[in-house]
């Protein structure tokens, strides 16, 4: 089943300061494809969610439909901040936007697409700090973790940009460069010209479930140089694409029943492994996925014996990497 385009992050975070100019780029959002021919279109729904109880028409933020660049369409002044901070007199107010994704151009006010991600904007009641007062960490990376999820068996594509659009726009006197440090053979590529990160081939969760890389940033200002490194993590999401397997190749177990056996006596066992699913979530689907059956026409046998199904999480180690799976015992 083709599920369509998807976001490699569940949420995005960014800071917005008072009096930043209209046109100011804030954040670039990416999408990955379910099939090679898809083209991503991004859309903002015109409500800012200020708290669970309140929302406000969005007059300040827009997104470029084809590139996913979120930007200020109008400068946010102190009066706007006071209105959006719900009178809490705090130096910071958080609002939320939903970005929607479609493989076709959005119609006006079309906001019922199931594919969406949340963007949390921290509105700060101060003007943007001078570039010279920011740490290397602030110049290089946002406050959000660099953690992504990529579906297995899907086409390669770009899923993140390391360079912060707002810093690049404001701090042009600084030289900021990046590297992506990865083990040999990892299926990721960093493009220096665009500072974007791509997955270079289709991933297989049964081969590797998690990739741990490091994003390294170097800031140069005159003769001064600062470096900072942060974890860059990619989790591979499962698709039910591998058949179960039996440790000894047999899918049938014989049971010999002797007299005077007590109720609850285990007469025979059969083990099935599934490298695809894990029993943690959703729990009941693991129970329903396979059933154990006594094959008989004798009603006495059906009434006297039963098959119990228990399952637990195990780890496989293909290529030296730990991958979760399930052991079903009948």
């Amino acid at each position: 089943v083709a599920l369509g385009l998807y976001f490699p992050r569940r949420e995005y975070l960014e800071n917005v300061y008072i009096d930043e100019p209209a046109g100011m780029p804030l954040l670039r959002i990416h999408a990955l494809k379910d099939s090679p021919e898809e083209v991503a279109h991004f859309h903002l729904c015109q409500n800012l969610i200020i708290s669970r109880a309140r929302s406000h028409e969005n007059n300040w933020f827009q997104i470029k439909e084809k590139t996913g660049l979120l930007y200020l369409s109008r400068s946010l002044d102190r009066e706007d901040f006071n209105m959006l901070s719900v009178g809490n007199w705090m130096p910071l107010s958080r609002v939320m936007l939903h970005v929607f994704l479609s493989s076709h151009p959005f119609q006006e006010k079309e906001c019922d697409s199931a594919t969406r991600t949340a963007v949390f904007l921290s509105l700060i009641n101060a003007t943007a700090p001078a570039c010279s007062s920011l740490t290397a960490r602030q110049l290089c990376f946002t406050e959000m973790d660099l953690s992504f999820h990529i579906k297995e068996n899907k086409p390669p594509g770009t899923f993140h940009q390391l360079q912060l659009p707002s810093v690049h726009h404001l701090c042009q006197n600084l030289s900021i460069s990046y590297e992506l440090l990865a083990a040999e053979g990892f299926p990721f590529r960093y493009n220096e010209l665009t500072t974007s990160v791509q997955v270079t081939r289709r991933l297989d969760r049964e081969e590797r479930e998690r990739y741990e890389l490091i994003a390294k940033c170097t800031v140069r200002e005159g003769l001064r140089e600062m470096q900072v490194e942060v974890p860059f993590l990619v989790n591979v999401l499962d698709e039910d694409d591998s058949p179960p397997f039996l440790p000894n190749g047999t899918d049938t177990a014989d049971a010999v029943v002797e007299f005077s056996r007590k109720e609850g006596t285990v007469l025979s066992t059969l083990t099935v492994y599934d490298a695809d699913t894990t029993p943690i979530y959703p729990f009941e689907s693991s129970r329903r996925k396979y059933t154990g059956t006594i094959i008989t026409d004798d009603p006495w046998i059906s009434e006297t014996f039963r098959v119990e199904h228990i399952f637990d999480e195990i780890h496989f180690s293909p290529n030296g990497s730990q991958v979760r799976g399930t052991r079903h015992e009948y």
Side-chain angles (χ1 to χ4, degrees), residues 139-313:
L139 290 164
C140 293
F141 303 107
T142 63
E143 292 164 22
M144 60 186 176
D145 294 337
L146 293 183
S147 180
F148 307 89
H149 51 262
I150 296 177
K151 295 180 181 180
E152 68 170 337
N153 306 321
K154 302 304 178 193
T158 299
F159 64 96
H160 184 63
Q161 182 183 26
L162 283 168
Q163 182 187 73
L164 304 182
S166 55
V167 170
H168 181 66
H169 185 78
L170 291 172
C171 305
Q172 294 178 0
N173 293 338
L174 296 177
S175 164
I176 302 175
S177 59
Y178 295 90
E179 288 177 74
L180 193 64
L181 310 178
E184 195 176 333
F186 271 19
F188 304 101
R189 182 189 300 133
Y190 171 64
N191 183 325
E192 274 187 50
L193 293 175
T194 61
T195 75
S196 60
V197 183
Q198 295 173 305
V199 55
T200 58
R201 58 173 167 82
R202 292 171 186 260
L203 303 182
D204 182 357
R205 192 200 72 91
E206 287 72 67
E207 190 180 288
R208 191 179 188 106
E209 190 171 13
R210 182 178 168 90
Y211 293 89
E212 299 182 15
L213 304 87
I214 290 172
K216 179 180 177 181
C217 176
T218 304
V219 181
R220 293 181 185 86
E221 185 181 14
L223 297 174
R224 199 164 67 112
E225 183 176 293
M226 299 177 285
Q227 291 186 335
V228 60
E229 295 182 0
V230 298
F232 188 104
L233 307 175
V234 177
N235 293 291
V236 185
L237 296 186
D238 194 40
E239 190 174 64
D240 198 358
D241 64 334
S242 300
F245 61 94
L246 301 136
N248 57 5
T250 177
D251 62 355
T252 307
D254 295 325
V256 177
V257 186
E258 297 175 356
F259 286 104
S260 303
R261 289 296 184 190
K262 290 182 180 177
E263 186 179 340
T265 301
V266 176
L267 303 169
S268 183
T269 60
L270 183 67
T271 302
V272 180
Y273 290 109
D274 188 345
D276 245 334
T277 55
T278 63
I280 291 173
Y281 177 84
F283 186 80
E284 271 310 306
S285 71
S286 292
R287 188 180 298 285
R288 288 193 300 267
K289 190 169 182 182
Y290 307 118
T291 56
T293 307
I294 300 173
I295 301 170
T296 180
D297 295 327
D298 187 334
W300 177 81
I301 291 178
S302 300
E303 290 165 14
T304 310
F305 302 96
R306 71 173 185 271
V307 177
E308 283 199 357
H309 177 195
I310 58 173
F311 52 92
D312 57 355
E313 182 174 291

Side-chain angles (χ1 to χ4, degrees), residues 11-16 48-52 54 81 84-86 88 90-97 119-124 143-144:
E11 61 183 45
Y12 293 81
L13 311 172
E14 190 49 79
N15 294 331
V16 180
L48 283 174
I49 299 162
I50 303 169
S51 66
R52 287 181 185 174
R54 283 195 56 195
F81 176 86
L84 294 173
S85 64
V86 204
N88 62 11
M90 297 288 282
L92 179 148
S93 177
R94 179 175 270 200
V95 300
M96 183 175 75
L97 285 164
V119 177
F120 293 94
L121 299 171
S122 294
L123 310 182
I124 297 170
E143 292 164 22
M144 60 186 176

